[in-house]
Amino acid sequence: MGKVYLNKKISQRVSNGHPWIFSNEVNRVDEAIKPGDIVEVFTHDDKFVGKGYINPQSQIMVRLLTRHKNETVDEQFFYNRISKAWDYRKKIGYTENCRLIFGEADFIPALIIDKFNDYFVIQTLSLGIDIWKGVIVNALEKIFNPKGIYERNEVPVRELEGLEQKKGFLSQPFDTNIIIRENGLQFYVDIENGQKTGYFLDQQDNRRSIKHIVKGADVLGTFTYTGTFEIHAAHYGAKSVLGLDISENAVAQAVRNAALNKLENVCTFQTANAFDVLKQWGKEGRQYDVVMLDPPAFTKSRQNIQKAIAGYKEINLRGIKLTKPGGFLVTSSCTNLVSPEMFLETINIAAKDARRQLRQVTFKAQASDHPIIWGMENTNYLKFLIVQVL
Ligand code: SAH
């Protein structure tokens, strides 16, 4: 097995348990290695750090899979990791749908698996994990006997690893338009063409948090995608719900989902650019009892953080202005690089600009099936805030 020796100044991150080793942290690579090989990692003075997969082409040269010298990375290893991840989800209350594997947080870096009841959607985002795709599929077959497995690997980040972008069946072909249940409601999930893996499971716990504040309310939901928050609002007793998304396809799905739940009389959806429409409606003096914002990530690179923050400030300012005094703003951010503190501060500035005071109802992260591992900041990415706007 190839050996990798780290520089003398091993970064605190790695010794604290983070699995990423950047190329500038590596002193030398022993023996001939092939991209994707499992290697052993040592400190400069020959202390064992762990085993992981290597890709010299990637900035993250090694991603560690285990810190145990006696653990072998083989078919059984992946079976065990996936079984354990499922046991954990069951233990904390998930039964049908969950993010089964959340990469680093489940100690399988760069692997994402979403479980939609009997169907599984996989992303293998690095070369070192892509090599094990067949093994991972076998493990899923053994543990779950699934009705279908699909890969959504048309993700640009794979190109940094020298991988092509692609999507397709990893099991016998099946009808990729499925229906899942969530919080007593039903939603179509388009596994083949929906955004990301087809559905945003990371908000599944948070969608329940709006239950009380939407009762009898006129609700505006923006960045609605397939209408999940909006349909929850209607289910929990909202008087009227309007959902906006820039994608016509998303709006069509939202309309279908409202009908599936027999809530089409309460829910309306429109194709619109939220930035433009919210500004316009603010000028017109429109107001709602509850305004919900769930925009996509505004940046993936550090250079653009200020721009992303300006985006959050802008959209939240508009949202606050559209909220009736005593009404509620439900606002999210899934931009990894915007920390919870930065997010709260941005909302604070927006409220000051709007000359409105906020009373915090709840502040959370993503659903618990996307575990946050302390010491791995990148696993703590979603911010979900409900405030009363006074
Ligand atoms: N709330 C959804 C997820 C939203 S994902 C859920 O819980 O499932 C973000 C959505 O914002 C995408 O559907 C995307 O099409 C939409 N979007 C992106 N830019 C937009 C804009 N300027 N105005 C309105 N919608 C936008």
Side-chain angles (χ1 to χ4, degrees):
M1 195 180 297
K3 290 186 170 53
V4 170
Y5 289 88
L6 300 178
N7 286 329
K8 190 163 182 184
K9 207 178 140 252
I10 174 177
S11 88
Q12 196 66 24
R13 184 177 37 76
V14 178
S15 46
N16 283 348
H18 201 287
W20 292 357
I21 294 169
F22 289 94
S23 45
N24 64 4
E25 290 164 342
V26 171
N27 180 285
R28 64 181 199 282
V29 180
D30 231 33
E31 301 174 30
I33 56 107
K34 289 192 309 303
D37 277 356
I38 302 296
V39 293
E40 286 186 321
V41 179
F42 296 89
T43 57
H44 75 288
D45 54 354
D46 222 18
K47 289 200 183 81
F48 179 76
V49 175
K51 291 182 199 173
Y53 58 77
I54 187 164
N55 184 2
Q57 188 182 328
S58 170
Q59 261 191 11
I60 307 173
M61 196 173 196
V62 180
R63 289 170 167 95
L64 296 174
L65 289 160
T66 175
R67 301 261 173 174
H68 300 290
K69 200 163 175 37
N70 296 330
E71 196 169 27
T72 313
V73 179
D74 56 9
E75 190 145 358
Q76 189 64 39
F77 170 91
F78 286 99
Y79 178 89
N80 292 348
R81 283 280 149 100
I82 295 170
S83 299
K84 274 196 181 154
W86 177 225
D87 288 345
Y88 175 70
R89 269 82 181 162
K90 284 190 287 189
K91 184 106 197 146
I92 59 170
Y94 294 91
T95 53
E96 292 182 358
N97 317 313
C98 62
R99 176 147 293 188
L100 174 65
I101 300 292
F102 181 41
E104 284 68 11
D106 287 295
F107 310 103
I108 315 184
L111 178 65
I112 300 294
I113 305 179
D114 277 353
K115 176 181 186 304
F116 299 116
N117 206 8
D118 292 324
Y119 298 90
F120 293 77
V121 181
I122 296 186
Q123 293 179 317
T124 45
L125 301 174
S126 68
L127 173 70
I129 203 66
D130 196 66
I131 287 175
W132 295 94
K133 198 162 64 189
V135 163
I136 291 160
V137 167
N138 286 344
L140 291 178
E141 299 276 8
K142 264 199 213 159
I143 302 168
F144 299 99
N145 192 21
K147 290 197 178 140
I149 308 176
Y150 198 88
E151 74 176 304
R152 286 297 302 270
N153 269 332
E154 75 285 30
V155 187
V157 77
R158 274 172 56 100
E159 292 187 1
L160 301 177
E161 293 273 330
L163 294 166
E164 55 171 344
Q165 296 193 41
K166 60 173 174 175
K167 64 176 177 178
F169 294 102
L170 296 175
S171 63
Q172 288 301 317
F174 58 94
D175 181 353
T176 49
N177 263 298
I178 60 161
I179 294 177
I180 61 165
R181 296 188 295 181
E182 181 183 290
N183 302 324
L185 292 161
Q186 297 191 83
F187 295 100
Y188 285 104
V189 176
D190 180 350
I191 286 179
E192 187 181 358
N193 296 312
Q195 295 182 27
K196 302 271 174 77
T197 60
Y199 189 82
F200 291 94
L201 288 169
D202 55 2
Q203 293 274 32
Q204 62 174 323
D205 298 352
N206 295 336
R207 292 186 190 111
R208 285 195 295 274
S209 312
I210 64 169
K211 182 168 182 174
H212 300 289
I213 59 166
V214 295
K215 226 156 255 157
D218 290 315
V219 177
L220 173 65
T222 59
F223 309 94
T224 184
Y225 185 40
T226 55
T228 53
F229 269 101
E230 292 66 23
I231 290 162
H232 274 78
H235 174 63
Y236 292 139
K239 187 159 70 170
S240 75
V241 184
L242 172 60
L244 307 176
D245 200 283
I246 203 161
S247 150
E248 263 176 44
N249 190 33
V251 167
Q253 288 275 34
V255 168
R256 262 180 97 201
N257 276 330
L260 182 64
N261 292 285
K262 302 197 169 47
L263 291 167
E264 68 270 40
N265 294 338
V266 187
C267 296
T268 316
F269 294 97
Q270 280 176 21
T271 311
N273 183 331
F275 281 91
D276 299 343
V277 166
L278 265 57
K279 189 172 181 180
Q280 180 60 30
W281 291 354
K283 277 189 195 149
E284 291 169 12
R286 279 206 208 187
Q287 287 203 313
Y288 293 85
D289 299 301
V290 177
V291 174
M292 305 192 288
L293 311 169
D294 186 18
F298 284 156
T299 181
K300 287 197 163 37
S301 85
R302 279 185 202 282
Q303 290 99 296
N304 292 329
I305 290 189
Q306 280 318 317
K307 251 188 166 163
I309 291 197
Y312 284 117
K313 168 160 175 227
E314 162 87 11
I315 198 72
N316 280 282
L317 175 64
R318 308 267 165 243
I320 289 169
K321 285 188 175 165
L322 284 173
T323 309
K324 280 183 195 160
F328 295 89
L329 176 75
V330 179
T331 180
S332 301
S333 156
C334 58
T335 304
N336 209 319
L337 294 167
V338 173
S339 68
E341 297 72 30
M342 278 154 86
F343 181 66
L344 291 180
E345 183 51 23
T346 307
I347 309 297
N348 186 28
I349 293 169
K352 281 194 175 134
D353 271 21
R355 298 204 174 78
R356 304 284 292 275
Q357 198 168 29
L358 303 181
R359 177 193 271 156
Q360 183 171 322
V361 179
T362 189
F363 184 48
K364 300 205 261 199
Q366 69 264 13
S368 308
D369 57 341
H370 297 57
I372 296 171
I373 303 290
W374 289 20
M376 295 187 203
E377 287 68 34
N378 54 319
T379 59
N380 184 3
Y381 73 101
L382 191 119
K383 283 74 59 188
F384 175 80
L385 175 71
I386 303 181
V387 283
Q388 188 182 32
V389 184
L390 302 170

